[in-house]
Amino acid sequence: MSKVPFVTKEQIEEIVKTYPTPFHIYDEKGIRENAEAVKEAFAWNKGFKEYFAVKANANPSLINILRECGCGCDCSSLTELMLSNAMGVAGEDIMFSSNETPAEEYEYANKIGAIINLDDFTHIEYLEKTIGKLPETLSCRYNPGGVFTISNGIMDNPGDAKYGFTTEQLFEGFKILKEKGVRNFGIHAFLASNTVTNDYYPILARQLFEVAVQLQKETGVNITFINLSGGVGIPYQPDQEGNDIHVIGEGVRKVFEEVLVPAGMGDIALYTEMGRFMMGPYGHLVTTAIHEKHTHKEYIGCDACAVNLMRPAIYGAYHHITVLGKEEETCDHKYDVVGSLCENCDKFAIDRMLPEIEIGDRLVIHDTGAHGFSMGYNYNGKLKSAELLLKEDGSVQLIRRAETPKDYFATLDCFDIYQKLDLN
Ligand SMILES: *Cc1c(COP(=O)(O)O)cnc(C)c1O
């Protein structure tokens, strides 16, 4: 078992005096070191930029740390664009990779000068109708269909995914866009999710680079960037070996030198849009055991539930759990660790072997930095938790307060009932 929390029981007991559980806590040091490693791994590519996928974690304090490390923002909705813009992320440092995009979102993206990444052929016309003259720089999302395989098997099923242009549409689309005055082109593809292998990006890169060479030949367009998007995974399981971003960077470089450089396209910039890899391991959901239940199974009831972390409930995803202060004890008790929603899928762990848990124990649920808080919702009228930042100097900063009933009821403020609610 190799998963060690970045906080100790002593630290958490101190923190809960000010901020009660549940909360997500993030590790600034880990975020920075990883972001620097990403930058180094791709430093061989002159225009390289990581556009952090804001949907993975939309906390401005965390996005700001990544910005300081040179990252831009990858947005997929109006509010994500608004946030990035309000944070002062400028123009082409914002990538807008959306799908089924409403007109007002295109309008806004265009207004703030974000790079628009079109998800579909029909959106060429839709975008033109919406904003008038097309921007000078545009990107298209590619979906070659079929299955995405690496040497050890099928990784994902792009043929079933709703995203992107087909190969034919991509060639046709680039021709049309060129005629309509677009000068700088980008190609984007996201073909597999949470890939825990160093081979994903290099294999994806080869596909995209080969298409880029063909596109340039057949349509004469000027391809200025290729966006490898997200999909680089993290080891959620304790016995899984994680990705090595340096090996990944070198793998992509090899393909770049093999395919693009001989075609005279060695000045293409590479972009990534990682979310999970940038933030996932650097977040913990900290929760307190508040009940134990002995029926047909042994249950531990926590003060967190699926609204704080949805992945186990919707994907059956594994998230490792550490009982703080009992790191060295044997895992000789089998538990379902559950939240309080009226949904039987609200289980952080099923049949998990853990040390004996007592009421009041603090549990760390690992790898909640990406697609954790941001996937939150309010089912059962449950409120979203606070988010805390463990800074490099060891101090703790509140970077989002917990929701209150007042927040929850705010959208009813146009009704009389709002006045009658006890909101103080
Ligand atoms: C979700 C998403 C990402 C980030 O994916 P991760 O797996 O978190 O790295 C990047 N780009 C697009 C378009 C996405 O939808």
Side-chain angles (χ1 to χ4, degrees):
M1 295 277 164
S2 59
K3 271 198 184 285
V4 181
F6 56 77
V7 284
T8 61
K9 181 173 173 64
E10 289 66 39
Q11 276 175 302
I12 290 297
E13 293 304 339
E14 207 41 49
I15 293 167
V16 297
K17 289 179 188 163
T18 315
Y19 307 111
T21 59
F23 53 77
H24 288 266
I25 186 165
Y26 305 102
D27 173 24
E28 176 173 15
K29 185 162 178 282
I31 295 168
R32 280 192 193 276
E33 285 174 359
N34 181 65
E36 290 303 327
V38 168
K39 206 160 75 176
E40 273 170 33
F42 287 92
W44 56 268
N45 180 263
K46 221 166 41 192
F48 174 77
K49 196 172 193 72
E50 150 70 6
Y51 289 83
F52 173 63
V54 172
K55 74 164 191 227
N57 191 323
N59 191 298
S61 302
L62 303 181
I63 296 172
N64 220 16
I65 294 173
L66 291 178
R67 271 184 75 195
E68 287 172 5
C69 302
C71 300
C73 289
D74 167 41
C75 300
S76 53
S77 66
L78 177 66
T79 51
E80 289 179 4
L81 288 169
M82 289 169 70
L83 180 70
S84 304
N85 187 50
M87 289 179 60
V89 182
E92 298 209 339
D93 284 350
I94 302 177
M95 183 70 61
F96 186 43
S97 292
S98 59
N99 68 93
E100 307 312 332
T101 316
E104 62 271 23
E105 301 196 2
Y106 274 140
E107 257 163 31
Y108 188 80
N110 185 54
K111 192 177 85 183
I112 65 174
I115 300 178
I116 293 174
N117 181 30
L118 293 176
D119 181 71
D120 185 51
F121 184 77
T122 62
H123 283 226
I124 297 172
E125 203 184 321
Y126 186 82
L127 179 65
E128 195 176 29
K129 273 197 183 136
T130 304
I131 64 171
K133 190 177 150 24
L134 293 176
E136 283 205 349
T137 302
L138 260 183
S139 172
C140 294
R141 183 167 182 165
Y142 177 43
N143 180 344
V147 290
F148 187 88
T149 50
I150 57 163
S151 50
N152 60 358
I154 294 177
M155 297 205 58
D156 224 319
N157 219 337
D160 273 347
K162 67 173 176 169
Y163 312 105
F165 292 53
T166 66
T167 309
E168 224 177 19
Q169 289 172 337
L170 191 66
F171 280 76
E172 185 61 22
F174 270 41
K175 281 182 208 152
I176 294 171
L177 289 169
K178 188 180 172 214
E179 278 163 23
K180 291 185 183 292
V182 175
R183 290 166 188 270
N184 310 311
F185 286 78
I187 311 172
H188 167 282
F190 189 153
L191 302 186
S193 226
N194 192 26
T195 58
V196 191
T197 157
N198 294 325
D199 293 336
Y200 170 64
Y201 262 3
I203 293 175
L204 171 71
R206 182 179 295 278
Q207 276 195 21
L208 288 178
F209 295 170
E210 284 172 354
V211 166
V213 172
Q214 281 307 314
L215 273 166
Q216 185 124 321
K217 263 198 201 130
E218 282 187 34
T219 66
V221 298
N222 176 32
I223 297 168
T224 55
F225 65 86
I226 290 174
N227 184 343
L228 301 176
S229 190
V232 177
I234 58 168
Y236 286 100
Q237 307 265 356
D239 54 0
Q240 244 179 330
E241 196 177 334
N243 288 324
D244 182 334
I245 196 67
H246 291 286
V247 174
I248 293 175
E250 279 310 299
V252 174
R253 175 198 193 126
K254 196 163 152 266
V255 184
F256 191 92
E257 286 168 358
E258 235 175 270
V259 182
L260 288 182
V261 173
M265 297 165 75
D267 57 350
I268 285 184
L270 291 185
Y271 296 161
T272 54
E273 286 174 344
M274 293 182 280
R276 194 186 314 270
F277 189 78
M278 302 307 290
M279 209 57 92
Y282 314 110
H284 292 333
L285 173 57
V286 180
T287 179
T288 304
I290 56 171
H291 293 290
E292 53 185 286
K293 175 166 178 163
H294 317 280
T295 56
H296 308 290
K297 297 185 89 173
E298 292 296 301
Y299 293 98
I300 294 296
C302 318
D303 60 1
C305 62
V307 306
N308 307 113
L309 176 69
M310 197 186 197
R311 299 184 70 257
I314 59 169
Y315 313 131
Y318 181 96
H319 278 264
H320 198 61
I321 295 177
T322 299
V323 185
L324 285 179
K326 298 186 175 174
E327 287 86 344
E328 303 305 321
E329 292 183 18
T330 14
C331 296
D332 52 2
H333 283 64
K334 191 193 271 187
Y335 293 114
D336 280 15
V337 179
V338 305
S340 55
L341 295 189
C342 305
E343 283 289 341
N344 198 42
C345 64
D346 185 13
K347 297 183 173 182
F348 292 120
I350 297 172
D351 296 333
R352 182 76 56 89
M353 296 307 294
L354 291 165
E356 182 168 18
I357 296 175
E358 289 149 280
I359 304 293
D361 276 349
R362 315 288 182 189
L363 311 185
V364 157
I365 304 180
H366 290 253
D367 301 313
T368 68
H371 314 292
F373 181 94
S374 67
M375 276 183 143
Y377 56 117
N378 285 111
Y379 189 55
N380 266 182
K382 295 288 177 179
L383 304 175
K384 286 177 207 146
S385 78
E387 293 183 289
L388 307 177
L389 180 64
L390 176 64
K391 306 199 15 166
E392 285 185 294
D393 63 7
S395 64
V396 169
Q397 186 189 349
L398 180 70
I399 56 173
R400 190 193 300 269
R401 66 165 172 81
E403 273 183 346
T404 64
K406 198 168 178 175
D407 298 316
Y408 178 74
F409 291 118
T411 47
L412 290 179
D413 62 2
C414 47
F415 294 101
D416 289 349
I417 182 83
Y418 185 76
Q419 312 304 327
K420 294 180 191 151
L421 289 162
D422 181 13
L423 292 179
N424 302 304

